[in-house]
Structures are given as structure tokens and as C-alpha cells.
Amino acid sequence: EDQVTQSPEALRLQEGESSSLNCSYTVSGLRGLFWYRQDPGKGPEFLFTLYSAGEEKEKERLKATLTKKESFLHITAPKPEDSATYLCAVRANAGNMLTFGGGTRLMVKP
Amino acid sequence: DGGITQSPKYLFRKEGQNVTLSCEQNLNHDAMYWYRQDPGQGLRLIYYSQIVNDFQKGDIAEGYSVSREKKESFPLTVTSAQKNPTAFYLCASSTQTSSYEQYFGPGTRLTVT
């Protein structure tokens, strides 16, 4: 059974304090790892897809990296508007379905 | 603008009543999905459809039903058999080729009392 675990569950940062969010996964044949941002009361917003170990993708203050067992979402010099829940999901084998982790709630204080 | 719409944003029902949540997409995506999200938790798959007139159960299909009569539409009915229906419901769609990333609608918050 595919499993995705995100840590920490919640993270409080001061504005400008860089940190990383972790997504550990166990799947039978990774076909893609996805990062989403979700604001309270809204649908998740797609951020990145990673396919193979060593791959990296960046968007503004966010950088996602992938190894064979986990992915990191690095947040450099975060701002209060980066506060949100960040969700990680994996696609395994040939199916379309994604398995989601429980999310990390990020709070950035000014 | 291409996207996914869900209506209504908030829905209130009495226990024992069936209720249907709407989901429409104009992204020309073949696949559509319904998820449930409970406070502080990730998304759990209820049903998905890869093609018109075909759909499959997800991890938590009991007490729910769907239809897929048109490519653009994938309504979800929460029946009275669903024991704990109060939740945030999210609809998504994706292509069946390339990257498979799913795009989400704004969600419907259902409260059953």
C-alpha cells in the first residue's frame, strides 16, 4: 500500500527564517511526486511535479527536491503570504490516482 | 478562463437527506475525481472517473454515489447512508497523458445537522 507522511505537522517561522518541509513516501514504482499549496477554505493549488531522484524545481521562494525515499520543500526567506498548508502527493505505477500526505501547516510571522 | 467550478460553496442539510454537489470543468480533461477533506487532514479519494459513463470507487466510497454523463460534469451525491457527511469536498480533474497533475476546484463545505 502506498504511503505518504509529511513532517512536521505544523511549522512556525519568523519572516526571513528559511526552513524545509519533509515528505516521506513508500510506493511501488514512483511515477510522480506532487506538491500543492492550500489556503484555508480553498482548493489546493498545484506547485510542482518531480519525477526522478535528483530532480529539483523552483518557484519564487520555494524549491522542491526529490530523493528515492523523500522530497523536501525548501522555503527561502519566507514572507507572511507564504503561510498555508503544503500538501505532498505521489502517483504510483500506471494509475491516475494520487495518494496524499496529511500536510504541513506553515505559519510565517512578520 | 479554463478551470473547475464547484457549487455551492456552502451547503447545509438535515440528517437523513440526500444532497448533490456539483462539479464542472472546461479544461477538456478526461479524468475527474472527488475527495473528502476533514479538519487538519489530507485528502481521501471518494470516486474517480477516467472516461464518460465510467467511474470507480476510491478509498471511502460508502455512502456516496456519482455519475459521469458528460465529459465536463461529475456530480457527487452524499446519501443518507453516509454516517459522517460533514466535511470539505473537493473536485479535481487531470489529463490522462503527460504529467497527470490534478487541478482542483474551490471546494464545497457540507454541514449536516
Side-chain angles (χ1 to χ4, degrees):
Chain A
E1 184 181 332
D2 302 332
Q3 287 192 328
V4 181
T5 303
Q6 292 187 247
S7 61
E9 290 186 6
L11 180 62
R12 295 174 186 266
L13 299 174
Q14 287 297 130
E15 184 171 2
E17 180 186 1
S18 302
S19 188
S20 296
L21 283 54
N22 178 264
C23 171
S24 298
Y25 62 89
T26 305
V27 297
S28 52
L30 182 70
R31 295 295 185 97
L33 186 140
F34 304 81
W35 281 99
Y36 289 85
R37 169 191 171 128
Q38 186 177 25
D39 292 303
K42 297 189 176 181
E45 173 191 349
F46 170 73
L47 293 173
F48 306 109
T49 308
L50 302 167
Y51 293 102
S52 56
E55 188 176 359
E56 298 183 352
K57 289 197 176 171
E58 288 189 64
K59 181 179 180 178
E60 296 180 357
R61 294 176 292 281
L62 301 176
K63 183 168 83 172
T65 62
L66 182 65
T67 73
K68 289 187 177 180
K69 293 184 178 180
E70 57 193 348
S71 176
F72 292 94
L73 185 64
H74 307 277
I75 303 176
T76 302
K79 298 181 177 182
E81 53 261 43
D82 294 321
S83 297
T85 295
Y86 291 86
L87 298 168
C88 168
V90 297
R91 174 176 170 255
N93 294 321
N96 289 9
M97 281 64 67
L98 302 184
T99 300
F100 282 83
T104 293
R105 184 181 171 208
L106 174 66
M107 294 155 281
V108 181
K109 296 194 172 184
Chain B
D1 284 339
I4 302 175
T5 57
Q6 291 185 243
S7 61
K9 187 172 176 63
Y10 299 97
L11 192 52
F12 298 88
R13 281 293 183 270
K14 294 289 187 185
E15 204 172 300
Q17 294 179 333
N18 291 355
V19 59
T20 298
L21 282 59
S22 168
C23 177
E24 304 277 334
Q25 56 99 359
N26 61 4
L27 299 169
N28 199 33
H29 286 168
D30 290 311
M32 296 187 73
Y33 313 82
W34 274 105
Y35 292 91
R36 169 184 174 135
Q37 187 174 37
D38 293 288
Q41 297 190 27
L43 280 61
R44 291 184 290 168
L45 183 64
I46 304 172
Y47 267 98
Y48 65 98
S49 168
Q50 295 178 301
I51 195 169
V52 174
N53 292 322
D54 189 41
F55 47 82
Q56 287 78 40
K57 294 181 179 180
D59 300 321
I60 55 166
E62 186 175 349
Y64 300 97
S65 66
V66 294
S67 63
R68 186 88 186 276
E69 298 177 0
K70 299 187 300 181
K71 184 176 183 177
E72 302 78 17
S73 178
F74 192 39
L76 173 75
T77 297
V78 184
T79 75
S80 57
Q82 168 50 232
K83 297 190 187 308
N84 198 12
T86 295
F88 188 48
Y89 290 88
L90 288 159
C91 178
S93 69
S94 73
T95 64
Q96 300 252 64
T97 59
S98 186
S99 53
Y100 293 89
E101 62 247 16
Q102 295 181 12
Y103 294 89
F104 286 83
T108 292
R109 185 165 301 279
L110 173 65
T111 303
V112 177
T113 57

